[in-house]
Each structure stands twice: as C-alpha cells, then as structure tokens.
Amino acid sequence: MQIQVLGTGCSKCISTMAMIESVAKEKGVVIELSKVQDLRQIASFGVMSTPGVVVDGKVVHAGGIPARTKVEEWLTAAGKSPS
C-alpha cells in the first residue's frame, strides 16, 4: 500500500505522517509512506488545502490532520484487499 502525504512540511503534515506510521505499525499493515512537498505535484492531485493524503493514487483526505479513526479505516480497508 502506497500512502503519500501532501504538504509543505508544516507541523500538521509532520503530525499526519507520524500518525499514519503509528497506526500502520499498530495494525501490522505494511505501507510505503512518502511526502510530497512540491506545490505543482500537490496541485496535480487537486488538493488546495494541506495536509492531503493519497492512498494508492486516490485522494482520501485534504485540509487538516485526519481523524485517527479515518486513518484506521483506510488501513483496515487496505488490509482486507486481495493482493
């Protein structure tokens, strides 16, 4: 599962990355987590408010730190997907 956090490096973006890493570790879900800081790349996803979160190419969140329950939902749904 590939997860990208879209943002310029603000504290909310850093907190979002840390939460995603923490939840993935707790749930035992293997993820590839990366940060996208280039404004053109962020805009190419249609995200105008950061942090944004992209899971396997699909924008699932934009604007503010996502709720922990939402992160858990994304990772649980991905964990149930057939390989």
Side-chain angles (χ1 to χ4, degrees):
M1 156 184 268
Q2 293 183 336
I3 300 178
Q4 296 169 291
V5 175
L6 312 177
T8 57
C10 69
S11 62
K12 290 180 181 181
C13 299
I14 293 166
S15 295
T16 298
M17 286 196 72
M19 182 183 357
I20 292 169
E21 285 177 318
S22 175
V23 172
K25 189 173 186 177
E26 287 172 17
K27 296 202 164 287
V29 177
V30 177
I31 63 170
E32 278 184 46
L33 184 61
S34 62
K35 185 179 353 176
V36 176
Q37 293 183 295
D38 181 75
L39 293 176
R40 286 188 188 121
Q41 280 186 292
I42 293 169
S44 76
F45 284 100
V47 171
M48 296 298 148
S49 182
T50 61
V53 180
V54 178
V55 176
D56 290 334
K58 180 182 176 192
V59 176
V60 294
H61 177 82
I65 300 171
R68 186 176 183 87
T69 54
K70 283 290 178 192
V71 175
E72 291 171 352
E73 287 175 19
W74 302 330
L75 297 179
T76 299
K80 292 179 180 176
S81 299
S83 298

